[in-house]
Amino acid sequence: MADIDNDKVNDVEIGIVGSGSMGGGMTLLFSQNGSKIGCYDYEKEAVQKLMDEAKEDENVNEKLVHGFTSLEKMINAFPKADSGEKKPRILVLSMPHGKAVDGILDDLLSLLDKGDIVIDGGNEWWQETERRQAKAGEKGIEWVGMGVSGGYQSARHGPSMSPGCTEETWKYLQPYLEKWAARTPEGEPCVMRIGPGGSGHYVKMIHNGIEHAHLSILCETRAILHHQLGLSNDEISDLFESWWKDGPLRGNFLVGIGFKGLRFSEGGGIEHAQDGIVEKIEDKVTQDVDKSEGTGTWSTKEIAERHVAAPAIAAAHQLRIISSDKLERLDVADNLNLAQPSEAKEAKLDKANKDKLMQTIQTAVYGAILGAFVQGLDIITRASQDQKWNISLATCIKIWRQGCIIQSDAIAEFLLPLFEKFGPSEPVNLLKSIPELASEFAKTYDAQKKLYTIAIETDAVAPALGASLEYIKTVNCRDLNTNFQELELDYFGHHNYDLKGKAEKGHEKGKYHTEFAKMPGV
Ligand SMILES: NC(=O)C1=CN([C@@H]2O[C@H](COP(=O)(O)OP(=O)(O)OC[C@H]3O[C@@H](n4cnc5c(N)ncnc54)[C@H](OP(=O)(O)O)[C@@H]3O)[C@@H](O)[C@H]2O)C=CC1
Ligand SMILES: O=C(CO)[C@H](O)[C@H](O)COP(=O)(O)O
């Protein structure tokens, strides 16, 4: 442990707090780019493990990585003010959100000076970020809320990043962040200033909301392909690979890791799985339960708060909730005792018809994935207007081109030119404002209907696919069923209604009331 807490180090350029999956990857990435890094974690083993990795990694000069178990010692390892003009110190936090970050902020307030910059590179609720920006700002410390995407492998090789900060801080950080970021095939760095305040964390939160919908759409589809349509996981892997290589899902990250993951027959705790390790993995998603991750919960909260329709994102979160307690779910299933998912009649199709069905399913998945982008981006624009963040949707698509989980090359190539025509915080409703996007989405309707029909007929679980279909059906409907809801609302609550065809402003409350007959029982 030669170099841990070394008092003689005095030339650290970047300090990273948290030596876990993401902080560890960033430590190696930044040092590979030539910066001298201080890495701090309160767990000595975590720091040591990272130093060992730096030593073993042939792309990293281990002399550029100094480990610390004392935050104070790491801060003291930056160049001193008297050695010329003092540059702002840059710290990157990569820790669990919430209390741990507050604890570090409190410690840093007494250790840092005016002008120093702290980048919170974890996931965080945007209002917490703004609270910390105000607190750090009292001492002249810049607090940047920055989403870092792409998982630990991208943290190591180049993530997509969404910083929210002042223009001035961005100018200072830009050369560093651009050096570290993932790059598009055209060489553009996948990092741009999102806006002020909590906007960077906000965009990352909604990125994850979209990611949850994509994960759900793909896991629901894989199950239908396997259990209802009888494809082996190897066949599904080949199918996903073909989608990833060509067509509207080209370059979709989750399809890409999906086809690779399905080919594994051995993994943690699994020695040999005949039909791929996926069949041996328990069907419960638990990370939302203990709130160790919060982006799905926060996204769902934002959907309600901002009054924006994003049913596929919300449904994906509901699937996680229902999935999380396996034993409880089995008890519920015993009580309900209804049909379990069964084989579809299409399982017996001949090759030509099966190939045609696979094309339909590809289109359906594309439609649902595109729909989740539309829903998530609509939330971002609404928030940008409300908070005066001036977020550009084109910027979001640009930074999501590489190094992130919702990367989807063909979709980004389609959306970017459409979004470049708009200024910041617009357009508010994508399907209203961009007819080309609406007609592209509409083309997937029949396919989405077909895939969801298979789910309905076979009792397959498909909440995100269903929500996606209901979304397109609902936003397309010229005469919704909600007139009867308005009647009932007015009956019991004097909530008023509008008259058919008389709405002047879309959102305006109705002016009309009827004194209906006495309620039953009154
Ligand atoms: N994993 C991923 O794919 C991604 C994660 N993120 C976000 O990045 C952040 C880090 O995630 P990840 O790397 O996966 O998490 P890890 O748990 O792997 O790493 C976090 C590290 O921070 C340490 N830590 C916790 N509290 C403190 C503290 N007060 N002082 C110093 N170190 C501390 C932890 O130590 P210990 O374990 O001993 O508590 C751990 O070593 C989170 O906010 C996460 O949401 C963002 C994008 C992708
Ligand atoms: O931020 C991420 C990816 O973008 C992280 O992988 C995060 O841990 C995912 O957790 P969740 O799915 O619960 O948001």
Side-chain angles (χ1 to χ4, degrees):
M1 299 207 184
D3 208 19
I4 289 186
D5 289 329
N6 185 340
D7 290 331
K8 299 206 172 61
V9 181
N10 60 6
D11 55 355
V12 157
E13 281 179 79
I14 313 286
I16 299 184
V17 178
S19 301
S21 308
M22 298 297 286
M26 285 190 275
T27 301
L28 301 178
L29 172 73
F30 299 175
S31 55
Q32 181 174 341
N33 277 286
S35 295
K36 188 166 259 197
I37 306 300
C39 53
Y40 160 76
D41 197 295
Y42 60 4
E43 287 290 343
K44 199 166 189 172
E45 291 74 29
V47 179
Q48 186 58 51
K49 183 170 163 279
L50 182 52
M51 308 256 314
D52 292 344
E53 278 171 27
K55 198 169 176 178
E56 281 156 25
D57 193 321
E58 58 185 22
N59 296 309
V60 172
N61 176 354
E62 58 170 310
K63 294 202 176 103
L64 292 180
V65 182
H66 293 279
F68 295 89
T69 56
S70 152
L71 186 58
E72 186 173 5
K73 284 189 178 167
M74 181 171 83
I75 304 298
N76 285 335
F78 279 84
K80 300 282 172 298
D82 55 13
S83 60
E85 200 190 330
K86 184 182 166 294
K87 281 171 41 176
R89 288 179 277 213
I90 301 175
L91 295 185
V92 180
L93 313 187
S94 189
M95 304 158 49
H97 68 91
K99 282 198 184 93
V101 179
D102 278 322
I104 291 290
L105 168 59
D106 286 342
D107 293 344
L108 289 174
L109 285 177
S110 59
L111 296 170
L112 295 181
D113 298 325
K114 187 169 186 270
D116 288 338
I117 300 170
V118 183
I119 303 173
D120 179 2
N123 289 322
E124 185 52 285
W125 171 239
W126 65 278
Q127 288 179 327
E128 286 290 83
T129 300
E130 296 200 336
R131 179 177 60 74
R132 292 183 192 124
Q133 284 171 332
K135 191 168 175 183
E138 284 170 16
K139 219 194 141 181
I141 296 166
E142 291 293 329
W143 188 271
V144 180
M146 182 173 84
V148 178
S149 186
Y152 69 97
Q153 296 193 27
S154 289
R156 171 65 189 91
H157 300 288
S160 155
M161 292 178 281
S162 58
C165 57
T166 61
E167 293 272 13
E168 199 187 349
T169 303
W170 165 245
K171 282 208 181 84
Y172 187 76
L173 291 176
Q174 189 176 2
Y176 293 98
L177 296 176
E178 289 188 349
K179 202 162 55 171
W180 302 330
R183 291 196 171 260
T184 66
E186 298 76 38
E188 295 298 319
C190 294
V191 60
M192 290 168 87
R193 176 176 176 268
I194 298 297
S199 62
H201 271 149
Y202 195 92
V203 162
K204 176 61 178 20
M205 168 187 76
I206 298 297
H207 162 287
N208 282 30
I210 298 170
E211 167 189 318
H212 289 202
H214 289 181
L215 282 164
S216 219
I217 289 157
L218 289 172
C219 77
E220 293 165 23
T221 303
R222 187 211 68 88
I224 292 173
L225 288 166
H226 189 61
H227 300 294
Q228 279 65 63
L229 295 170
L231 271 73
S232 72
N233 284 309
D234 279 344
E235 287 171 310
I236 299 170
S237 174
D238 291 347
L239 183 70
F240 280 12
E241 184 173 11
S242 70
W243 293 358
W244 180 74
K245 283 187 168 155
D246 199 19
L249 290 166
R250 174 171 50 77
N252 178 284
F253 176 86
L254 287 170
V255 172
I257 62 166
F259 88 74
K260 291 196 171 186
L262 286 174
R263 287 188 187 150
F264 273 67
S265 55
E266 288 174 9
I270 305 165
E271 276 176 19
H272 182 72
Q274 195 122 37
D275 196 15
I277 68 170
V278 64
E279 299 304 325
K280 300 270 181 200
I281 294 175
E282 192 58 283
D283 58 347
K284 59 194 180 83
V285 182
T286 53
Q287 64 198 61
D288 306 294
V289 180
D290 66 0
K291 300 189 171 34
S292 56
E293 298 286 349
T295 53
T297 313
W298 303 329
S299 293
T300 311
K301 192 163 129 181
E302 279 294 292
I303 292 167
E305 284 279 338
R306 308 244 179 226
H307 208 73
V308 178
I313 295 174
H317 191 60
Q318 298 295 312
L319 176 59
R320 281 187 173 199
I321 291 172
I322 296 172
S323 81
S324 63
D325 189 332
K326 174 84 187 196
L327 300 181
E328 188 180 84
R329 183 156 37 93
L330 290 177
D331 287 343
V332 172
D334 282 348
N335 286 346
L336 292 171
N337 202 22
L338 293 167
Q340 292 295 311
S342 59
E343 189 180 85
K345 59 181 185 302
E346 287 85 349
K348 306 275 185 293
L349 292 177
D350 60 30
K351 185 169 175 338
N353 281 319
K354 207 153 196 174
D355 286 351
K356 209 166 141 213
L357 179 63
M358 293 307 131
Q359 274 174 17
T360 302
I361 292 178
Q362 179 183 16
T363 305
V365 171
Y366 163 60
I369 282 185
L370 181 65
F373 270 112
V374 168
Q375 294 164 35
L377 291 164
D378 272 346
I379 307 171
I380 290 178
T381 311
R382 179 66 57 80
S384 179
Q385 286 210 335
D386 293 348
Q387 309 307 134
K388 308 207 175 355
W389 279 333
N390 280 338
I391 299 176
S392 146
L393 294 189
T395 296
C396 295
I397 297 298
K398 281 182 190 165
I399 64 162
W400 294 340
R401 282 300 314 276
Q402 288 279 326
C404 81
I405 311 293
I406 61 172
Q407 177 186 331
S408 206
D409 295 345
I411 291 180
E413 285 160 26
F414 168 64
L415 291 178
L416 188 56
L418 300 176
F419 292 168
E420 275 173 334
K421 297 177 189 151
F422 293 93
S425 298
E426 55 175 46
V428 161
N429 182 329
L430 288 178
L431 294 177
K432 169 179 167 235
S433 309
I434 311 182
E436 301 96 309
L437 176 54
S439 68
E440 179 74 4
F441 192 38
K443 277 188 228 153
T444 70
Y445 178 58
D446 288 344
Q448 290 201 58
K449 218 159 93 177
K450 173 69 194 167
L451 180 55
Y452 194 56
T453 303
I454 294 176
I456 294 282
E457 286 172 351
T458 58
D459 303 294
V461 170
L465 292 172
S468 181
L469 179 68
E470 288 299 336
Y471 173 68
I472 188 166
K473 260 164 71 180
T474 310
V475 296
N476 173 64
C477 188
R478 291 178 196 276
D479 196 11
L480 282 171
N481 45 28
T482 37
N483 49 346
F484 185 51
Q485 188 171 152
E486 280 288 85
L487 180 154
E488 300 228 282
L489 280 163
D490 191 49
Y491 197 136
F492 68 70
H494 201 316
H495 290 299
N496 288 6
Y497 51 82
D498 219 340
L499 288 183
K500 208 153 240 183
K502 293 261 170 35
E504 284 163 16
K505 287 188 201 145
H507 267 135
E508 203 170 54
K509 266 188 178 291
K511 293 189 257 319
Y512 301 90
H513 169 66
T514 291
E515 273 308 308
F516 291 92
K518 275 195 171 171
M519 300 182 206
V522 171

